[in-house]
């Protein structure tokens, strides 16, 4: 089954829920995309969320990505609900950090990145709303590197240029690039797992641009979780069904 649990995070109004809809649509989990402004998104199901147009509670959806069964965890972007987001981080295998092309890196974006590094979560960056962006991709890449370090690598650039950038991120990648002129997928996965590399993608969730490239990158480079033989699980959310029965949401971590 090769399971993978991905969290999607952003500062409020960055376009996170729209990107989540686009991911579910492009992978066939949705037959049509919902819109935040229409109040019909698949992941913001609470009446208060739809009324306010923001994510308040974490929610999940499942889709297939090649041979991987992926659970996508949508998290609140508003700083008032940061505790909910941090709880969900503890069950993520990797994350997509969404950044608005119109606003760039915000204070809460920095907080989220610090938490992702604290919990050692491999992270992909997606700059959305590029159809409205005031800066070029090159300028935004400079901003990402200034904020989060040289491990931010543009994975949409040509393979040779990407290989050169990756070679600067670790000795192993540099040796491999010197020998063969490329950096293998296995080495890239290892660097992403070690938080030495943060793959960066650009596009628009609403226009469905760049989404397939992001999904291809996750399919190829997202590190697979390692599960111990003994059973383990971690609770990350408590809800109630329509009859008032308590539902415990947990991530199986072993066995």
């Amino acid at each position: 089954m090769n399971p993978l649990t991905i969290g999607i995070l952003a500062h409020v109004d960055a376009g996170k829920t729209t990107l989540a809809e686009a991911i579910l649509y492009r992978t066939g989990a949705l037959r049509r995309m919902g819109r935040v402004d229409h109040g019909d998104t698949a992941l913001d199901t609470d009446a208060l969320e739809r009324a306010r147009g923001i994510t308040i509670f974490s929610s999940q959806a499942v889709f297939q990505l090649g041979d991987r069964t992926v659970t996508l965890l949508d998290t609140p972007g508003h700083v008032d609900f940061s505790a909910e987001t941090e709880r969900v981080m503890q069950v993520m295998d990797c994350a997509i950090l969404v950044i608005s092309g119109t606003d760039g890196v915000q204070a809460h974006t920095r907080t989220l990145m610090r938490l992702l590094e604290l919990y050692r979560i491999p992270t992909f960056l997606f700059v959305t709303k590029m159809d409205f962006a005031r800066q070029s991709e090159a300028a935004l890449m400079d901003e990402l590197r200034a904020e989060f370090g040289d491990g931010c690598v543009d994975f949409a650039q040509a393979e040779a240029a990407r290989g050169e950038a990756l070679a600067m991120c670790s000795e192993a990648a540099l040796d491999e690039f010197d020998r063969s002129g490329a950096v293998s997928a296995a080495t890239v996965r290892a660097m992403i797992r070690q938080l030495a590399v943060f793959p960066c993608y650009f596009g628009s969730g609403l226009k469905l641009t760049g989404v397939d490239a992001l999904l291809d990158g996750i399919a190829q480079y997202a590190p697979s979780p390692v599960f111990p033989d003994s059973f383990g699980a971690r609770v990350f959310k408590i809800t109630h069904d329509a009859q008032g029965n308590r539902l415990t949401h947990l991530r199986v971590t072993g066995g």
Side-chain angles (χ1 to χ4, degrees):
M1 184 171 65
N2 197 10
L4 184 70
T5 300
I6 299 177
I8 184 165
L9 309 95
H11 65 84
V12 67
D13 293 332
K16 169 182 59 62
T17 298
T18 300
L19 178 61
E21 291 284 313
I23 288 171
L24 295 176
Y25 176 72
R26 292 300 296 162
T27 55
L30 292 179
R31 298 186 67 176
R32 61 177 293 274
M33 278 181 60
R35 289 184 53 148
V36 174
D37 53 344
H38 293 171
D40 60 355
T41 56
L43 292 171
D44 286 344
T45 56
D46 186 85
L48 185 58
E49 291 179 313
R50 294 191 168 186
R52 295 185 61 182
I54 61 172
T55 303
I56 299 173
F57 309 105
S58 64
S59 57
Q60 62 269 354
V62 178
F63 63 88
Q64 286 296 132
L65 190 60
D67 66 342
R68 309 186 93 162
T69 300
V70 180
T71 300
L72 182 67
L73 298 175
D74 189 22
T75 64
H78 200 288
V79 66
D80 290 349
F81 310 113
S82 296
E84 179 87 356
T85 300
E86 189 170 356
R87 260 195 307 272
V88 177
M89 283 186 184
Q90 299 176 56
V91 299
M92 295 178 188
D93 296 319
C94 63
I96 302 168
L97 181 60
V98 184
I99 297 158
S100 168
T102 60
D103 300 326
V105 175
Q106 299 291 294
H108 191 51
T109 316
R110 299 184 190 99
T111 299
L112 290 170
M113 191 63 159
R114 284 196 295 269
L115 286 169
L116 289 166
E117 291 177 331
L118 176 66
Y119 288 109
R120 306 296 300 170
I121 301 171
T123 301
F124 294 75
L125 306 182
F126 188 85
V127 183
T128 191
K129 299 186 181 182
M130 288 303 296
D131 44 338
F132 300 110
R134 303 183 185 93
Q135 301 182 71
S136 66
E137 289 187 12
L140 286 164
M141 272 305 309
D142 288 342
E143 181 180 356
L144 294 178
R145 282 191 288 265
E147 292 283 354
F148 305 132
D150 292 337
C152 293
V153 175
D154 183 358
F155 270 55
Q157 64 186 327
E159 187 173 351
R162 185 175 68 200
E164 289 180 10
L166 289 168
M168 296 298 101
C169 295
S170 81
E171 289 291 337
L174 179 59
D175 290 344
E176 195 172 308
F177 187 76
D178 284 342
R179 289 196 310 272
S180 64
V183 181
S184 69
T187 299
V188 174
R189 279 193 295 273
M191 288 193 293
I192 294 171
R193 183 188 294 278
Q194 295 158 6
L195 309 191
V197 167
F198 303 100
C200 300
Y201 298 87
F202 295 83
S204 167
L206 186 62
K207 302 292 186 181
L208 295 175
T209 56
V211 177
D212 288 343
L214 172 65
L215 289 169
D216 289 344
I218 291 171
Q220 187 171 8
Y221 298 120
S224 296
V226 178
F227 298 104
D229 292 334
S230 57
F231 176 77
R234 178 169 288 162
V235 173
F236 65 94
K237 187 170 72 167
I238 302 292
T239 61
H240 294 82
D241 64 15
Q243 288 73 43
N245 298 310
R246 175 173 163 148
L247 305 176
T248 301
H249 300 252
L250 56 84
R251 165 73 192 277
V252 175
T253 58

